[in-house]
Amino acid sequence: MLSIQHLSKSYKNSRLILDDISFNVQKGEILGLIGPSGAGKSTLIRCVNRLIEPTQGSIVLNGVVLSGLSSSKLREQRRLIGMIFQEYALVERLSVMENVLSGTLGYVPFWRSFFRQFPQEKIDKAFAYLERVGLLEHTNKRADELSGGQKQRVGIARALAQNPELLLIDEPTASLDPKTSRQIMRLIREICKEQQLPAIINIHDVPLAQNFADRIIGLNGGKIVFDGSPDALSETVLTTIYGEEEWHTPAEKEEQIHTKGSSESIEMKLELAV
């Protein structure tokens, strides 16, 4: 379980980027972070693995206080936190397999990684992860030969190679088309449920968050303004998170107009009948 309590982050001469954030994430739970740009979503994710140092508060993963670790101990714990990035963060000139094996660098001696001599056990697991994400036939391709969706699948396999206890996922679908976005989110959800991995996903696409997250936290101005079920994301709640906006799609607007017109027509007929 991940527990974040009273987490705040500020920079010199600036407002609080995160303001007294507290929540828990259970095993296998997928938490979607939504909110406008600048709300603090990416900062929150990076505070969890201390890529950004929190100003105050505690971060505890399975009983280990991450916010109080020394540099050497933090390196050990970071092996247990898989990170999946918006821009994939692959080494383009390396093969798919080599990129996946880079997820094991925290577990093998430097000389082995330098000469790309990974233990057979790690290689076998990398093959299994590539099969799980549907890329087994692309094992020897260079990363720069892949599509965006395939690159994101490599990123997922690389994160799994770390044998993580937590997944942090930053805008996994921002560069993908709608169909591929749904496939990637479905894959992430299936893997989290299979391995009982907790995950925090920073995501702008509200419908995707509603479809694939178990729980939603809405941030605005560095504060939690909503924490609840995806089903509870009403227009009122979305307005609290994002500000005033027209939340109906064009199709929904058309349906509303049609329904309103039909109702007025029925009322007129009833009046005439009377």
Side-chain angles (χ1 to χ4, degrees), residues 216-229:
I216 302 290
I217 282 182
L219 294 178
N220 189 308
K223 294 183 178 182
I224 294 178
V225 295
F226 173 79
D227 183 351
S229 164

Side-chain angles (χ1 to χ4, degrees), residues 125-178:
K125 285 186 176 180
F127 274 116
Y129 297 137
L130 284 171
E131 183 175 19
R132 179 63 189 86
V133 301
L135 288 181
L136 195 57
E137 69 274 20
H138 299 290
T139 299
N140 295 316
K141 278 188 179 180
R142 280 174 50 128
D144 57 10
E145 297 179 64
L146 303 178
S147 68
Q150 290 170 334
K151 289 179 180 179
Q152 196 59 282
R153 288 173 183 268
V154 176
I156 294 169
R158 178 184 56 195
L160 293 177
Q162 293 180 225
N163 193 27
E165 295 179 1
L166 170 69
L167 287 180
L168 300 177
I169 308 170
D170 194 13
E171 289 291 345
T173 64
S175 304
L176 306 177
D177 64 73

Side-chain angles (χ1 to χ4, degrees), residues 54-187:
T55 302
Q56 64 181 32
S58 68
I59 304 165
V60 182
L61 177 61
N62 294 334
V64 177
V65 183
L66 302 180
S67 46
L69 293 177
S70 64
S71 296
S72 59
K73 293 294 183 181
L74 179 60
R75 282 195 296 273
E76 292 178 10
Q77 287 300 310
R78 276 182 177 154
R79 298 184 306 189
L80 305 177
I81 303 174
M83 188 85 180
I84 299 171
F85 300 89
Q86 174 182 342
E87 297 298 334
Y88 322 124
L90 304 181
V91 181
E92 298 278 302
R93 61 183 176 79
L94 296 183
S95 70
V96 167
M97 173 60 80
E98 288 170 321
N99 272 283
V100 174
L101 286 171
S102 70
T104 69
L105 292 178
Y107 298 92
V108 299
F110 171 76
W111 69 267
R112 277 187 174 274
S113 62
F114 183 81
F115 291 105
R116 302 180 190 176
Q117 295 180 356
F118 292 90
Q120 189 60 46
E121 175 194 3
K122 302 295 184 187
I123 295 172
D124 292 341
K125 285 186 176 180
F127 274 116
Y129 297 137
L130 284 171
E131 183 175 19
R132 179 63 189 86
V133 301
L135 288 181
L136 195 57
E137 69 274 20
H138 299 290
T139 299
N140 295 316
K141 278 188 179 180
R142 280 174 50 128
D144 57 10
E145 297 179 64
L146 303 178
S147 68
Q150 290 170 334
K151 289 179 180 179
Q152 196 59 282
R153 288 173 183 268
V154 176
I156 294 169
R158 178 184 56 195
L160 293 177
Q162 293 180 225
N163 193 27
E165 295 179 1
L166 170 69
L167 287 180
L168 300 177
I169 308 170
D170 194 13
E171 289 291 345
T173 64
S175 304
L176 306 177
D177 64 73
K179 179 180 178 181
T180 306
S181 295
R182 291 183 63 84
Q183 291 172 342
I184 291 298
M185 289 296 294
R186 186 177 295 111
L187 176 62

Side-chain angles (χ1 to χ4, degrees), residues 10 56 74 79 130 145 164 201 211 233 242 248:
S10 63
Q56 64 181 32
L74 179 60
R79 298 184 306 189
L130 284 171
E145 297 179 64
I201 306 179
N211 283 329
L233 282 177
Y242 290 99
H248 289 295

Side-chain angles (χ1 to χ4, degrees), residues 181-252:
S181 295
R182 291 183 63 84
Q183 291 172 342
I184 291 298
M185 289 296 294
R186 186 177 295 111
L187 176 62
I188 289 171
R189 181 174 178 83
E190 289 172 355
I191 288 170
C192 286
K193 298 306 178 183
E194 290 167 6
Q195 302 194 15
Q196 283 298 286
L197 275 173
I200 301 177
I201 306 179
N202 169 16
I203 185 166
H204 275 298
D205 192 316
V206 173
L208 276 181
Q210 288 178 297
N211 283 329
F212 295 102
D214 299 310
R215 177 173 150 218
I216 302 290
I217 282 182
L219 294 178
N220 189 308
K223 294 183 178 182
I224 294 178
V225 295
F226 173 79
D227 183 351
S229 164
D231 295 336
L233 282 177
S234 64
E235 288 185 48
T236 301
V237 171
L238 288 171
T239 298
T240 300
I241 297 171
Y242 290 99
E244 291 293 337
E245 180 54 84
E246 175 55 71
W247 295 106
H248 289 295
T249 65
E252 289 171 332

Side-chain angles (χ1 to χ4, degrees), residues 18-29:
L18 297 174
D19 187 358
D20 196 26
I21 301 292
S22 295
F23 62 87
N24 297 328
V25 187
Q26 306 298 326
K27 284 187 175 182
E29 183 179 26

